Amino acid sequence: MGLRDKIAIIGAGCTMFGENFHLDYSDMMVEAAAEALEEAHLTGRDIQAAWLGTAFPDAGVWKGRSGMDLAQSLGIFDIPITRVSNYCATGGDAFRNACYCLLSGEADVVMAMGVEKLRDRPPQESLVRMMVENGHPIIQKGFTAAGTFAVTITRHMHEFGTKAEHLGMISVKNHRHAINNPKAQYRQEFSLEQVMNSPMVAWPLTVLMSCPTTDGAACVVMTRTEDAAKFNKDYVLVKGHGFSVSTGWDLPFYDPHHEFTGYRATRVAATKAYRDAGISNPMKELDVAEVHDCFASVELVTYEDLGLCARGEGKRLVEEGVTSAGGELPVNLSGGLLSCGHPVGATGLRMLYELTRQLQGRAGKRQVPDARLGLAHNIGGPGAVASVTILGAR
């Protein structure tokens, strides 16, 4: 069942992403929901169903294990609220479920909320510790996110001549973009030399090619398109969506057919989203994109997986400035995960917040002139889970 022009975002909200020590898990949801509900001219009592995306309650503050944490924070009771966890594509999955609830007719006004509180613990006691202490007693040791994604880019470098400097150029671009995003964790420019000389995490990925650990929340409020104007005339349309789980946790590393130069989950999800939206040439038809850049290497190979260029040509888009502000297809004008940070459950919905503001013409200094069609992409696990969403101006 396609989503094209059937669902509308009537409100979007997002907290500042960063070290939000002054806000607890509930406070961040309240702040994001308040912005979205105000835009939709609604209150929490108008929400008829909701999805709460928190990927790692045990690595954070033990919140987000159930929909009751959203109910209690917003004071919305006696409605269905489902907790969603699907690695870094958690926000996209919460959004997807909310859309299909509307299409089914089960509810008329729904909310998709993503939130993650990771900075109340040191990183070595949260996500890193979780990776070390869980899973296989031997294989899992040393199985870090940076190491996982470094495997793919080193093969890509071998096959296509991509250089570490291309990854550095993506970091420079996204940090430059973030200067114009008041909700980004880091709003500071870095030179290519600074990026390349920052401490090594997992070759060739340096610290400044890696996203920080972050707190944050984001949400959208939606209804069916025929009802949207009575809530907010400045709504944004859902044009297409694709979601795919294309492999397992350890499986890609034992799969003799895995080419290690890209991620099948992104390709499958993008094919579905493009078909929904009627897109045949994404480079020509899209105006703006938010792409998962947990590490700079992921953004580069995602250019290719999304069909923005041929396999091996991602470096060309970087060299020619195609994906920079003012380029043919600006990518991560928000600053991306490298600058905004990555509160895992919230990132996908933060991207939809950014696209909503771009398509409304309300993105301030980072606005793309006359933006009509935007794409948001997340990938999670070892590249196993991906979400691609296409939004359009009404």
Side-chain angles (χ1 to χ4, degrees), residues 17-83:
F17 274 28
E19 296 177 338
N20 293 338
F21 296 127
H22 61 296
L23 299 173
D24 69 14
Y25 181 93
S26 295
D27 293 335
M28 293 194 295
M29 282 196 288
V30 168
E31 185 175 314
E35 182 180 358
L37 291 169
E38 181 179 11
E39 182 180 10
H41 303 98
L42 295 169
T43 71
R45 289 188 291 274
D46 297 307
I47 301 299
Q48 298 171 2
W51 281 260
L52 169 63
T54 294
F56 302 122
D58 297 355
V61 290
W62 302 88
K63 291 284 189 178
R65 292 181 158 192
S66 159
M68 70 180 183
D69 286 327
L70 178 60
Q72 180 173 302
S73 299
L74 301 189
I76 53 174
F77 299 105
D78 301 325
I79 63 169
I81 303 178
T82 304
R83 180 262 175 140

Side-chain angles (χ1 to χ4, degrees), residues 146 149-157 161-175 191-192 195-196 200 202-210 293 295-304 314-315 318-319 338:
F149 286 104
V151 168
T152 299
I153 195 61
T154 51
R155 186 66 191 177
H156 195 281
M157 295 165 76
T162 303
K163 299 184 182 303
E165 285 74 11
H166 292 116
L167 313 182
M169 293 165 72
I170 287 174
S171 175
V172 170
K173 169 183 74 73
N174 291 351
H175 283 102
S191 67
L192 181 60
V195 172
M196 301 304 294
M200 186 61 63
W203 194 88
L205 302 172
T206 67
V207 164
L208 287 174
M209 297 179 194
S210 310
D293 59 331
F295 302 96
S297 59
V298 179
E299 179 172 323
L300 187 141
V301 299
T302 299
Y303 295 162
E304 300 168 10
K315 58 182 181 297
V318 179
E319 292 168 348
L338 292 179

